Amino acid sequence: MRLKNKIALVTGSSQGIGRAIAVRFAQEGADVVINYNRTATGAEEALAEVEAAGRRGLIVQADLGKVADIRRLINTAAEHFGRLDVLVNNAGLETHAPFWEVTEEDYDKVLNVNLKGVFFAAQEMVRHLRATNRRGKIVNISSVHEELPFPNFSAYCASKGGVKMLTRNLAVELGPLGININNIAPGAIETPINTKLLNDPMKLNALLGQIPLGRLGQTGDVASVAVFLASDDADYVTGSTYYVDGGLTWNYEEQ
Ligand code: BGC
């Protein structure tokens, strides 16, 4: 049990990577706050899985694109369990369009959740930790696209590049408070965010050809690294990005 009696909040944990992290955290001994925006049924299922692991859970609806929602989420979570030790900024979305067709609405949708949401959730978590005079851990679920270009996903890349620098900056600023912050950069993981790709055999095979480990990632592949970064084992780790991508990022083969 690597997270025994820790209290963790995982944003966007009704499905995909966030849900896998919430459940794995519970299996490692943590009580978990589950957050969703629209998929209430997924949150209920995640809660049942957390409870099946013998831990307590709490569901809080909040739109991570809205700062008022974020503050309510963190404060409700901290009040319910008495404190928060770990924040996982997982909620995120992407929209597909050539750069010259991206609308202001789509840009705002992506940046508000993926970057502004991470910024203000981290801020509220830090305020909570300072107010209670405790150390803590923040884990951001970024993407290989904090580093790699992804044509037709320019807003997504801008948001993830922002998360990369935010993490580096906060590692320096929050280190003296005993707060660690790191990113996980998943590659192609089988989750609802890439349903379209998963249903397009041509694109999928081309992608698989670029993954040295020869398979898509599973949500559990990401959850195991999140457990490490949230645990005391990572006490001396901050400001880093952990790639969970089967080798995708550094694989360039001249065709
Ligand atoms: C994106 C996926 C994409 C993967 C690999 C992720 O960040 O959300 O849509 O398949 O990166 O390119």
Side-chain angles (χ1 to χ4, degrees), residues 94 143-145 150 156 186-188 193-194 197 207 248:
E94 63 188 33
S143 165
V144 291
H145 301 297
F150 194 13
Y156 185 73
I193 207 173
N194 46 31
L197 169 82
L207 175 63
L248 172 71

Side-chain angles (χ1 to χ4, degrees), residues 9-44:
L9 162 62
V10 185
T11 68
S13 43
S14 59
Q15 59 179 8
I17 291 172
R19 178 157 155 189
I21 292 174
V23 174
R24 183 72 72 83
F25 275 20
Q27 289 163 351
E28 293 285 349
D31 291 332
V32 186
V33 182
I34 296 155
N35 153 255
Y36 74 98
N37 183 18
R38 282 183 304 265
T39 335
T41 50
E44 295 290 346

Side-chain angles (χ1 to χ4, degrees), residues 113-160:
V113 173
N114 295 15
L115 184 55
K116 187 169 125 186
V118 172
F119 188 105
F120 285 100
Q123 184 187 68
E124 204 57 25
M125 176 68 173
V126 169
R127 287 177 177 173
H128 164 67
L129 291 171
R130 272 171 53 88
T132 51
N133 202 15
R134 288 177 314 111
R135 309 159 73 86
K137 297 225 160 58
I138 301 173
V139 180
N140 298 323
I141 307 305
S142 171
S143 165
V144 291
H145 301 297
E146 70 165 46
E147 199 63 49
L148 276 185
F150 194 13
N152 300 308
F153 292 87
S154 48
Y156 185 73
C157 286
S159 72
K160 297 300 183 178

